[in-house]
Amino acid sequence: MNSKSSDREGDAGAAGGETLGQRLRAAREARNLTPRELSDQTRITRRHLEAIEADDYKQLPGGIFNRSFVKSYARAVGFDEAEALRLYLASAGEASDETPTRQHSRIYTNDAPGRSPLVTAGLSLIVLAVILLAVYAGLHYYRRTSDSDDAQAAGANTARPGQNGQAAQQQPRAADAPAPQPAQQGLSVSVRAKGEDVWLRSKVDGEPTTDGILNADETKEFSATEVLSLQYAKSKAPALEVTINGRAAAVPSETDRGTILVEMLIKKGAYEQLLQQP
């Protein structure tokens, strides 16, 4: 669809009183696209696509992500992107001076390169191998320490000959000291979205970042050896619940970089400052 035909379509739609959602839906149906097919093309969930068609923008993540969704929808159905964004800003009452960054657009559009399932599976196997190795090392250390304590106790209880040829009275064996527990290995972090969808970006140790939507009341588990980075929209901080190694943590909601994204950096041995006070 060229620019002139799009302008004529926009004028006709405006005269007919059609909303942005109605016009986008009509463009989708004109191309014989089902919501599922459109979701596969744009990587936007059907729930969010239906919210756009219903002009119910409160169901979307908010801010620049809404604009990215609208532009992706328009591009997929051949609707003028600029006209779609203009109608969205007019209906949502947002300012137009803030445009979405290229990095955020890549998350939800066809331009974003997806991670190969084989790469994801390989990284998962590596993380699992590291965890198993850590557990094995801890158990091995525990067994060696326990065997050493038993050997020392057995030597202390051996009868010793006295000066009169009789064995000295055996000393009572002291109560076994509690075996040392293996040191905490790495980080085990649980993230839950409370009551609403939350866009989340994560990075485990030196692996590539992973972006996606954490659905309402969904919980995601992370395992890291040294460090875990979580990024989310500032407005979504109250909707996140984070536990670190089984202990509740306070979710930061402030950023000093002048962006709407907040980074929660969790480091092994230095995460206590994030924990909530009992």
Side-chain angles (χ1 to χ4, degrees):
M1 180 183 297
N2 57 39
S3 176
K4 292 183 178 179
S5 62
S6 297
D7 292 341
R8 290 195 296 268
E9 179 185 350
D11 295 339
E18 292 183 339
T19 65
L20 171 61
Q22 292 171 337
R23 296 175 66 183
L24 289 176
R25 179 176 180 177
R28 173 179 63 78
E29 292 176 346
R31 287 179 172 248
N32 294 323
L33 286 175
T34 65
R36 178 179 295 276
E37 292 171 340
L38 184 59
S39 176
D40 292 339
Q41 289 186 21
T42 61
R43 301 182 186 176
I44 302 174
T45 64
R46 289 183 59 184
R47 175 183 176 185
H48 291 149
L49 292 176
E50 292 169 356
I52 293 175
E53 292 184 351
D55 299 291
D56 187 7
Y57 304 117
K58 293 182 179 180
Q59 301 299 323
L60 302 182
I64 59 177
F65 305 113
N66 291 13
R67 305 180 193 186
S68 178
F69 284 176
V70 169
K71 292 181 67 177
S72 298
Y73 191 126
R75 184 186 306 116
V77 300
F79 195 90
D80 184 77
E81 296 181 36
E83 175 68 6
L85 185 58
R86 184 186 68 79
L87 292 174
Y88 162 72
L89 294 175
S91 60
E94 293 189 16
S96 61
D97 56 344
E98 181 185 355
T99 57
T101 62
R102 180 177 301 174
Q103 183 179 27
H104 294 151
S105 299
R106 286 189 293 108
I107 299 172
Y108 302 103
T109 63
N110 292 331
D111 298 333
R115 177 184 293 178
S116 169
L118 294 178
V119 175
T120 301
L123 293 176
S124 300
L125 291 176
I126 292 175
V127 173
L128 180 60
V130 171
I131 294 175
L132 292 177
L133 181 61
V135 172
Y136 174 80
L139 291 175
H140 184 65
Y141 173 80
Y142 172 80
R143 290 174 180 173
R144 289 186 58 186
T145 305
S146 179
D147 293 341
S148 177
D149 291 342
D150 291 342
Q152 292 179 1
N157 290 332
T158 302
R160 301 175 183 175
Q163 292 181 354
N164 56 1
Q166 297 180 351
Q169 183 178 3
Q170 294 183 353
Q171 297 295 328
R173 180 176 180 178
D176 293 335
Q181 297 296 324
Q184 179 67 43
Q185 300 292 334
L187 297 168
S188 178
V189 180
S190 175
V191 182
R192 186 174 78 90
K194 300 184 295 184
E196 58 182 292
D197 295 352
V198 178
W199 175 86
L200 187 67
R201 169 178 294 160
S202 61
K203 183 175 183 180
V204 178
D205 295 324
E207 299 179 13
T209 57
T210 300
D211 304 332
I213 297 295
L214 189 62
N215 295 326
D217 299 321
E218 179 184 359
T219 300
K220 189 170 185 179
E221 304 290 340
F222 297 92
S223 295
T225 304
E226 295 294 337
V227 62
L228 170 65
S229 171
L230 300 174
Q231 290 186 347
Y232 45 87
K234 178 180 179 180
S235 60
K236 296 295 183 178
L240 286 176
E241 180 178 276
V242 179
T243 59
I244 306 174
N245 291 340
R247 301 175 63 183
V251 180
S253 61
E254 297 296 332
T255 176
D256 56 358
R257 296 183 296 175
T259 67
I260 66 171
L261 292 182
V262 180
E263 181 179 24
M264 184 176 184
L265 195 61
I266 305 172
K267 296 182 178 180
K268 175 183 176 182
Y271 62 84
E272 288 80 2
Q273 59 185 353
L274 298 174
L275 300 179
Q276 295 181 354
Q277 297 299 326

